[in-house]
Amino acid sequence: MKHLLRPRLLGAPSLSHTRYLHRTSHAPNSHLAGATSIDNTALQTPDTHPSRPSITPTPPPLSLLALPTLIRSYLISAISATPILLTPSLWILSLLAHSKSPFWQVEHNRLLHYIVKKTIYAQFCAGETPSEVKQTATELRKTGYQGVVLNYAKELVFDKGAPIQQTKHDEAKDIEDWHRGLLKTVNLVNHGDYAALKFSGAGPSVVQRLIGKLPPTAAVSLAMKEVCDHAQNTGIKLLWDAEQNAVQPGIDQWTLDLQREYNRDGVAVVYGTYQAYAISTPQLLAQHLAIAHREGFTLGVKLVRGAYMGSDPRRLFWGTKAETDGVHDKIAEALIRKEWNEVLSPIEETDRQKPAFPNVNLVLATHNHESVRKAVAIRQEQRRTGQELIDLSYAQLMGMADDLGTELILAGRSSPGATQAKTGSSKTFKYTAWGSVRECLTYLLRRAEENKGSLGRTRIGRLALGKELRRRLLSRF
């Protein structure tokens, strides 16, 4: 299938010399100027990129941000867009995340704790306590987001290619602490929200089972069942996040088993995460779709470009960013249309007939304007021609892609009195992590590294934020 995934065949420009950078970088998208609506109306894009159409809505999208959030976002994006500032910032953050010295550990140094919490932690994380998390969620809803995707930040990260050594950790305590964290997370979100969960937070013994593709222990199974039962009874959804490649096959199997049990009657309670930058993803997803069709359950799919390039072997990924972009968008198109295509093709075909496509619920987790525009254009076409609409949500990381998120919000408001059921409009969420500052440092370091790999997009975001700051300043005179 690889010859079908060349960038030119997917409508991407020839970028064979460009190496893959990062999951949310995007190429100019002026050729999609005619597909500028998010379900019901125009998706507006700030006029900060010469090849992107300039359409200024009323009010401007970033006017939805509170002033303190706007200022902090601008300052952090200014650092992220300036290599001479970003490189030492990454070094300091890595030191805080990995140092064994009490002086550099935020849980022991109150000044460091205060500085980190008021800056980068506040930008990307929801809070350390339930009250802080609920306050953050309330502020996001006031901004206009449908809700949150809340992630408990505790996870186990290991070196690229290095085996995980069994430690003297108390296995029962690790699992009990993880179980308690999962329950706290699902109890912090509301009906219609998502909880994003990680298996590696259960400790080294569980990671070893995932690496060996072994079934979960009785204690882990009990924890998973309790969390899934709670989600099903309260109307929330569970996104089991992708992790490093060594454990991902085990995660895929455990997640699929949960979907078999809970994703019935056309509604997905449990979602698996599929990373478009992995060469194996189209075939893996096709296998899972075939299983869902054969066994009669709804497949929950969270589609991302990928976030573990820094810790997984490079041979696992597509050779260029253009290839990854093309694969991502073709997978999204197949899922939204519920039709097989040249990238997401069925595992087995009989008499040259492609098998029926199963029911799918999709979370499109991307900061890429072009990917969103393509999804929007398909939804418009489907609504216009009376086609079936899948359950679709958009999600962006809190602290990033505010220009895209606020545009989606304003677009959704532009159809007075219209309901989602009538219009087929999609929901927009912000993904954020919660936990102690110490627990969130690994998550924060990944966010900073993503910014390093997408300086072009970061500069565009900074320009949009700066423009909104100037607009507010000038409006006072």
Side-chain angles (χ1 to χ4, degrees):
M1 184 184 71
K2 188 171 182 179
H3 69 283
L4 292 174
L5 303 178
R6 311 270 329 158
R8 290 187 183 85
L9 295 181
L10 296 178
S14 177
L15 294 176
S16 59
H17 63 283
T18 304
R19 306 309 298 170
Y20 180 85
L21 295 176
H22 144 280
R23 71 189 185 110
T24 54
S25 299
H26 60 275
N29 54 9
S30 58
H31 62 287
L32 291 172
T36 55
S37 69
I38 292 296
D39 292 338
N40 296 316
T41 186
L43 167 64
Q44 314 299 347
T45 307
D47 56 351
T48 53
H49 195 288
S51 62
R52 190 178 291 159
S54 173
I55 308 172
T56 305
T58 302
L62 289 171
S63 67
L64 299 178
L65 296 183
L67 183 59
T69 301
L70 181 64
I71 294 172
R72 185 180 64 238
S73 297
Y74 178 79
L75 293 174
I76 289 179
S77 66
I79 293 173
S80 300
T82 309
I84 197 172
L85 297 177
L86 181 58
T87 300
S89 299
L90 280 171
W91 182 85
I92 292 171
L93 192 56
S94 180
L95 178 65
L96 296 178
H98 302 118
S99 177
K100 303 299 182 182
S101 168
F103 178 81
W104 292 106
Q105 293 176 347
V106 292
E107 67 269 34
H108 298 302
N109 188 322
R110 296 180 64 182
L111 178 60
L112 279 178
H113 181 278
Y114 178 85
I115 293 171
V116 173
K117 185 168 184 179
K118 293 299 181 180
T119 53
I120 189 170
Y121 181 94
Q123 182 72 2
F124 298 109
C125 299
E128 294 189 271
T129 65
S131 61
E132 290 177 352
V133 173
K134 290 182 177 180
Q135 178 61 33
T136 299
T138 297
E139 291 172 357
L140 288 170
R141 289 190 178 90
K142 286 181 179 178
T143 300
Y145 290 100
Q146 181 79 19
V148 297
V149 180
L150 186 63
N151 165 238
Y152 181 42
K154 184 179 180 181
E155 62 178 297
L156 181 63
V157 177
F158 42 95
D159 293 335
K160 182 188 299 186
I164 297 180
Q165 301 297 328
Q166 188 74 318
T167 69
K168 296 181 179 179
H169 278 70
D170 183 338
E171 178 180 344
K173 184 178 185 306
D174 280 343
I175 295 173
E176 181 183 350
D177 290 345
W178 171 73
H179 184 189
R180 189 180 302 113
L182 298 186
L183 291 177
K184 285 181 179 178
T185 302
V186 297
N187 278 294
L188 285 172
V189 295
N190 296 333
H191 178 89
D193 284 343
Y194 294 86
L197 311 173
K198 291 184 183 294
F199 285 113
S200 67
S205 65
V206 172
V207 169
Q208 289 285 6
R209 297 191 72 83
L210 289 168
I211 291 174
K213 302 179 186 178
L214 300 174
T217 64
V220 172
S221 294
L222 180 63
M224 290 159 56
K225 175 175 173 49
E226 186 171 353
V227 170
C228 290
D229 286 344
H230 176 85
Q232 190 172 55
N233 294 334
T234 56
I236 66 175
K237 300 183 178 184
L238 305 178
L239 305 180
W240 290 99
D241 279 343
E243 302 194 47
Q244 289 169 268
N245 180 70
V247 296
Q248 192 57 47
I251 291 173
D252 291 335
Q253 187 57 57
W254 290 11
T255 303
L256 196 63
D257 288 342
L258 292 173
Q259 295 200 50
R260 284 187 171 99
E261 182 174 355
Y262 290 95
N263 291 6
R264 298 291 174 176
D265 302 320
V267 178
V269 175
V270 178
Y271 289 67
T273 299
Y274 299 84
Q275 302 180 100
Y277 71 176
I279 296 173
S280 61
T281 291
Q283 184 177 25
L284 173 69
L285 181 52
Q287 290 172 346
H288 290 183
L289 288 165
I291 293 170
H293 179 257
R294 184 169 61 250
E295 300 182 18
F297 64 88
T298 297
L299 192 69
V301 177
K302 173 188 162 192
L303 181 63
V304 301
R305 276 171 168 78
Y308 288 91
M309 179 163 282
S311 56
D312 280 337
R314 183 63 183 82
R315 68 179 184 279
L316 301 174
F317 311 124
W318 297 110
T320 67
K321 180 186 178 299
E323 286 179 296
T324 296
D325 288 345
V327 169
H328 176 279
D329 292 347
K330 279 295 184 179
I331 289 176
E333 177 183 353
L335 296 174
I336 295 171
R337 292 187 184 279
K338 293 181 65 175
E339 294 177 357
W340 304 103
N341 59 29
E342 66 270 29
V343 171
L344 188 60
S345 56
I347 300 301
E348 297 180 358
E349 297 184 30
T350 59
D351 299 327
R352 298 185 179 180
Q353 295 293 318
K354 292 182 178 180
F357 211 94
N359 195 40
V360 175
N361 289 180
L362 174 63
V363 174
L364 197 61
T366 181
H367 298 170
N368 189 304
H369 283 74
E370 184 170 354
S371 294
V372 172
R373 289 174 186 274
K374 289 180 179 179
V376 167
I378 295 170
R379 296 281 281 192
Q380 283 184 306
E381 174 196 340
Q382 289 177 321
R383 188 171 55 256
R384 189 167 53 247
T385 57
Q387 297 178 44
E388 177 186 2
L389 297 173
I390 69 166
D391 185 276
L392 170 64
S393 297
Y394 299 103
Q396 306 92 40
L397 294 167
M398 190 177 91
M400 298 175 71
D402 286 324
D403 53 342
L404 176 59
T406 51
E407 288 163 12
L408 285 163
I409 292 170
L410 288 181
R413 291 177 178 176
S414 68
S415 190
T419 65
Q420 182 188 350
K422 291 180 181 178
T423 65
S425 62
S426 304
K427 302 159 285 187
T428 306
F429 293 81
K430 274 295 186 180
Y431 182 112
T432 182
W434 81 280
S436 70
V437 173
R438 177 67 178 179
E439 288 174 326
C440 289
L441 281 173
T442 299
Y443 173 85
L444 292 172
L445 184 58
R446 246 195 339 269
R447 301 289 77 81
E449 288 173 341
E450 287 172 6
N451 280 338
K452 182 180 180 181
S454 59
L455 292 179
R457 180 183 53 77
T458 304
R459 290 191 185 101
I460 293 172
R462 175 176 58 84
L463 290 172
L465 292 164
K467 180 179 178 181
E468 174 60 19
L469 277 173
R470 288 192 299 274
R471 186 194 68 82
R472 295 194 193 187
L473 178 63
L474 293 174
S475 69
R476 295 178 178 272
F477 296 94

